[in-house]
Amino acid sequence: MMDAIMTDGLSFAMPLLIMAIGGIYSERAGVVMLAIEGLQGFGAFVGAAAAVISGIYLGTESPLLIFIAMAAAMAGGAAFSSIHALLCVKFRAQQVISGMVVNTLAMALSPFLTSVINRAITGNESNKFQIGPSVRFTVPGLSEIPLVGGLFKSMYPFEIVIIAAALISCYVLYKTRYGLRLRACGENPHSLDAAGGDVNRTRTIAVLICGALSGLGGVFLAYSISATYSPNIYVGYGYLSIAAMIFGNWKIPPTACVCMFFGLARSAGYQLCLYLGMPGSYSDLLLTLPYALTLLLLVFFSKRNNPPRAMGETFDRSRR
Amino acid sequence: MSGSARRGGLPGASTAWTRFLEVMSGDKTSHIAIPLFSVALSMVAASLLLLALGENPLVAMAAFLRGSGFMVKPSYAGGQSALTDFLSFLGILAPMLLAALSVAAALRAGMFNIGVAGQMLAAGYVATILAGYADMAPALARPLVVLLGLSVGATMGAAVGFLKYRFNIHEVVSTIMFNYITSYVTGFLINTHYSDAITRSSRVCSRAARLTVTGIDVGGLRLTFPIGILIALAAAAIMKFVLDRTTVGFELKAVGLNRDAARYAGISVGRVTVFAMSVSGALAGLAGVTYYLGYYNNIMPKTLASLGFDAIAVALLGNLNPVGSIFSSILVTIFQKGSVYMSSTLGAPQEVASVITSVMLLFSACGACVRFHAARMLEKLAGRGGSDEGGGG
């Protein structure tokens, strides 16, 4: 049972984490990011479409497909996030509004395009893509550790990519010149401007990175939940990752802990239900656990939250 | 853009173009002109999309209007007419308008109520089990349903406001958590206690509790009138009055524009925060009862109404203004309600409707930018006109 909790918990926590890290890039650069829900869904759509289309040529069993899906999802998410970047940075739109524009646009476009593509390929108008199950692997040795060994059993290739991305992001945000500039953009963009940096460029890049990472999270969700892509991808996990980011105080390590907490609480709820032999409907009650606990924990920890100071403000050089 | 300005050499074109720019950037006119302009632009975009799908845009638009009861269909099933379609349209317009007002009320105070769908579900659920399954006379049951919707929604909203001002919990986080909790808890209770074996949703609520007046006989047609639309219009009127004419409304807008300035001016920001969120919740609760006890009459377990999220778009399209929300909700509902008929008669995918809605929202989000550029072009034009005259003299 412990193994199942760990394996399932990790596969739910990792997509949340990568989306939350995307959000951290954007919000630490001062651009409010409510668009994660739309970005992950659209990224998943592009990834799934790429997998289905290349499956025609490579065969549906090809192990390459998942990597094609990953790359396509990142490209799709980044491309779609350019709308948010354009609206917020260039067109001076309100960032909350722009985020919702991106969400509604993604939720409208992706099912529409899915049915158009399906009509072109198979002739029937389904709004689903069958993308097949993902490759999974077990790390020898590490998976034998009692209690936490389950974390290393039947892992998705995504998980390795996401952990790598998280570590690289820690380095980029805190140890590089770009990271320093990005954080300056979120706290006091005028100081960056005075130092000769380009605020709008830094912000645009941050939003595009967020789009790419959200797309990766989205396609992982599509693979791990059902091995299909359908409009059901929009169940609000993007919003949940925003909650994790805020709970994690816009920092990567605490956010990673929050995501693991969400993942483990969720899978533990399922397993507890199975263990106690309760009827399926009771699992719904246990599924509220992560959310109720989050609220409870926030009551104690939220006082010390400090969001990036310049978040939500359009950069205007003439206003100092 | 500069090409048009240069063509301004012709006197007629110049005045028309200047006039257009004036209307777009003027303080009195721009808040109406900009949304109309974005709607017009999105209609052009929608027509191009429909053309690309091989449909005649005019025929498709007519189909949307026919599906919503604004135009007469070529044929009707027995007991149906454009009037029944229109009343059904009003039935779903009511929750859409109320939910949009709910989003607007919170956003005017600077808060983003993303939990409208959860508040709707909670209000609809409580009203269904307390009034919808009880044996009561309509005169008692209907006011009770409205009252329950109001109070459940307001309580949930107030909780969000309280968590924000007392514990600094971001409203986006708490409303999302409440969405999930409400959805799972009501889903559990419906599945274990109130489930209908065939439909797998909750049992249908009693006729007496529904917010509809049934059996109106007009020319042989038996019509059902949705009471919800009256509630929604009244709510819009009251909200407009409160925002424009009262101290609370002024305080609410002040907090939304700048929390620190409002605090400095002596406004109790905490009190306004809780007040605004409970108003927003109450409106969402009303949307919930008109949706679950009026339009659908049962609740699908573990499903949040997508209307609660669409309402965010509608409120933004309506400039967060109660009157604007009426127009934007009518516009968006025409496309959503009419999409079924459009899809069944023309064969174009039903999702076209939501693409059109989101394109409308995309253009309206650029409103501030359009206004800014219109003002700047006007300045340039004025500058050039002045120098031309100078040269002539």
Side-chain angles (χ1 to χ4, degrees):
Chain A
M1 186 173 90
M2 210 56 211
D3 279 2
I5 292 179
M6 290 290 166
T7 309
D8 293 348
L10 191 69
S11 67
F12 185 69
M14 284 299 119
L16 283 186
L17 173 63
I18 199 65
M19 292 190 276
I21 290 177
I24 290 175
Y25 271 99
S26 174
E27 299 215 331
R28 286 306 284 264
V31 181
V32 177
M33 183 45 83
L34 286 173
I36 294 179
E37 178 75 0
L39 294 177
Q40 59 93 18
F42 198 82
F45 154 72
V46 175
V52 165
I53 293 170
S54 48
I56 300 172
Y57 300 103
L58 299 172
T60 45
E61 296 299 312
S62 169
L64 268 179
L65 286 184
I66 192 162
F67 296 101
I68 292 174
M70 241 187 254
M74 290 180 79
F80 209 68
S81 68
S82 65
I83 298 175
H84 190 56
L86 197 68
L87 284 173
C88 291
V89 176
K90 184 95 177 132
F91 287 165
R92 297 156 174 268
Q94 265 205 36
Q95 297 175 358
V96 170
I97 297 180
S98 165
M100 290 318 289
V101 169
V102 173
N103 283 343
T104 38
L105 206 58
M107 285 181 213
L109 272 180
S110 49
F112 170 68
L113 292 175
T114 311
S115 60
V116 170
I117 292 177
N118 267 332
R119 180 149 50 162
I121 298 176
T122 57
N124 67 343
E125 245 181 66
S126 146
N127 62 356
K128 286 192 179 117
F129 284 133
Q130 275 297 339
I131 48 181
S134 159
V135 195
R136 299 182 82 158
F137 63 94
T138 299
V139 183
L142 286 176
S143 56
E144 305 301 321
I145 305 171
L147 227 56
V148 293
L151 287 177
F152 303 97
K153 273 192 191 132
S154 57
M155 289 179 82
Y156 288 93
F158 292 103
E159 288 168 357
I160 303 296
V161 176
I162 288 171
I163 291 166
L167 293 175
I168 294 171
S169 296
C170 279
Y171 177 75
V172 168
L173 280 175
Y174 295 105
K175 300 286 177 206
T176 64
R177 193 173 136 107
Y178 175 73
L180 183 65
R181 293 189 157 189
L182 184 144
R183 284 178 293 135
C185 263
E187 297 298 332
N188 188 344
H190 294 290
S191 69
L192 175 63
D193 192 45
D198 188 336
V199 174
N200 287 344
R201 213 182 83 130
T202 312
R203 285 188 168 174
T204 307
I205 294 173
V207 172
L208 293 183
I209 293 176
C210 174
L213 297 183
S214 304
L216 181 62
V219 78
F220 185 5
L221 282 174
Y223 270 103
S224 71
I225 291 177
S226 53
T228 51
Y229 165 81
S230 73
N232 289 337
I233 195 91
Y234 298 105
V235 282
Y237 291 144
Y239 294 122
L240 193 61
S241 73
I242 295 172
M245 169 186 72
I246 297 175
F247 192 1
N249 209 0
W250 289 269
K251 294 192 178 83
I252 293 176
T255 304
C257 297
V258 174
C259 291
M260 275 316 284
F261 166 74
F262 277 149
L264 292 179
R266 192 183 141 96
S267 55
Y270 265 125
Q271 293 298 327
L272 193 66
C273 218
L274 286 179
Y275 180 70
L276 298 176
M278 287 194 274
S281 52
Y282 280 81
S283 71
D284 292 339
L285 220 47
L286 285 170
L287 277 180
T288 60
L289 266 180
Y291 312 114
L293 281 174
T294 302
L295 276 179
L296 192 69
L297 289 175
L298 278 174
V299 167
F300 295 110
F301 293 114
S302 211
K303 272 286 183 202
R304 297 181 296 121
N305 246 11
N306 46 338
R309 203 169 299 161
M311 195 166 72
E313 287 172 20
T314 311
F315 176 61
D316 185 349
R317 195 177 256 174
S318 59
R319 282 174 58 189
R320 291 233 177 163
Chain B
M1 283 191 231
S2 62
S4 328
R6 236 171 269 132
R7 255 185 279 120
L10 296 164
S14 163
T15 45
W17 179 241
T18 320
R19 187 87 196 90
F20 174 71
L21 289 179
E22 271 171 11
V23 170
M24 293 304 283
S25 62
D27 284 335
K28 288 238 166 66
T29 47
S30 74
H31 68 284
I32 296 171
I34 299 270
L36 285 181
F37 182 65
S38 19
V39 168
L41 268 186
S42 35
M43 287 304 123
V44 173
S47 307
L48 291 177
L49 176 71
L50 288 164
L51 276 177
L53 288 171
E55 305 293 344
N56 180 346
L58 286 177
V59 175
M61 294 294 171
F64 280 117
L65 288 174
R66 288 201 176 100
S68 315
F70 281 86
M71 276 168 70
V72 180
K73 289 178 195 169
S75 65
Y76 284 97
Q80 300 276 313
S81 77
L83 197 57
T84 49
D85 281 342
F86 183 66
L87 288 175
S88 166
F89 168 81
L90 290 182
I92 191 68
L93 175 67
M96 180 64 102
L97 175 54
L98 284 164
L101 292 175
S102 159
V103 174
L107 258 181
R108 286 301 278 271
M111 276 173 298
F112 195 54
N113 185 1
I114 205 165
V116 173
Q119 290 148 11
M120 282 172 64
L121 180 59
Y125 172 78
V126 173
T128 301
I129 58 158
L130 290 186
Y133 294 155
D135 193 17
M136 266 190 268
L140 189 66
R142 282 177 192 153
L144 183 66
V145 164
V146 173
L147 206 65
L148 283 170
L150 268 175
S151 47
V152 171
T155 313
M156 274 185 87
V160 172
F162 178 74
L163 286 174
K164 180 171 175 85
Y165 113 91
R166 180 75 179 77
F167 296 111
N168 192 25
I169 298 178
H170 202 288
E171 75 277 5
V172 168
V173 179
S174 55
T175 46
I176 292 167
M177 298 300 140
F178 279 131
N179 272 354
Y180 282 109
I181 295 172
T182 314
S183 157
Y184 283 126
V185 170
T186 56
F188 166 74
L189 291 170
I190 289 172
N191 279 336
T192 48
H193 290 84
Y194 308 106
S195 179
D196 185 303
I198 299 159
T199 62
R200 298 197 150 269
S201 58
S202 71
R203 279 185 278 121
V204 173
C205 66
S206 77
R207 211 166 275 281
R210 291 178 202 168
L211 297 176
T212 46
V213 180
T214 43
I216 310 166
D217 212 331
V218 177
L221 291 169
R222 286 180 66 77
L223 300 175
T224 303
F225 181 80
I227 304 173
I229 191 66
L230 301 179
I231 300 176
L233 289 174
I238 294 171
M239 188 169 148
K240 178 153 180 58
F241 177 79
V242 169
L243 280 178
D244 291 353
R245 301 288 158 112
T246 64
T247 318
V248 240
F250 179 78
E251 288 183 346
L252 194 147
K253 287 187 287 185
V255 170
L257 289 172
N258 190 332
R259 298 181 86 80
D260 297 326
R263 183 175 294 121
Y264 188 68
I267 294 171
S268 161
V269 174
R271 198 173 50 86
V272 172
T273 301
V274 176
F275 171 75
M277 278 315 292
S278 39
V279 168
S280 175
L283 288 165
L286 284 180
V289 290
T290 53
Y291 186 78
Y292 292 114
L293 294 98
Y295 193 71
Y296 282 114
N297 303 325
N298 62 6
I299 302 174
M300 202 64 194
K302 286 199 283 176
T303 311
L304 291 168
S306 65
L307 184 140
F309 297 96
D310 293 340
I312 300 169
V314 174
L316 295 173
L317 192 61
N319 251 341
L320 305 183
N321 180 309
V323 180
S325 299
I326 296 178
F327 289 108
S328 62
S329 55
I330 290 175
L331 195 62
V332 169
T333 311
I334 286 177
F335 284 109
Q336 297 205 334
K337 177 93 180 140
S339 66
V340 183
Y341 180 74
M342 191 281 306
S343 178
S344 67
T345 50
L346 300 182
Q350 207 177 317
E351 289 91 356
V352 171
S354 40
V355 175
I356 295 175
T357 313
S358 53
V359 169
M360 259 192 295
L361 185 63
L362 178 68
F363 283 123
S364 71
C366 301
C369 179
V370 171
R371 188 180 169 188
F372 173 75
H373 281 290
R376 211 167 63 172
M377 264 192 269
L378 201 62
E379 265 171 35
K380 267 191 194 159
L381 222 60
R384 182 169 305 175
S387 65
D388 281 356
E389 274 164 31

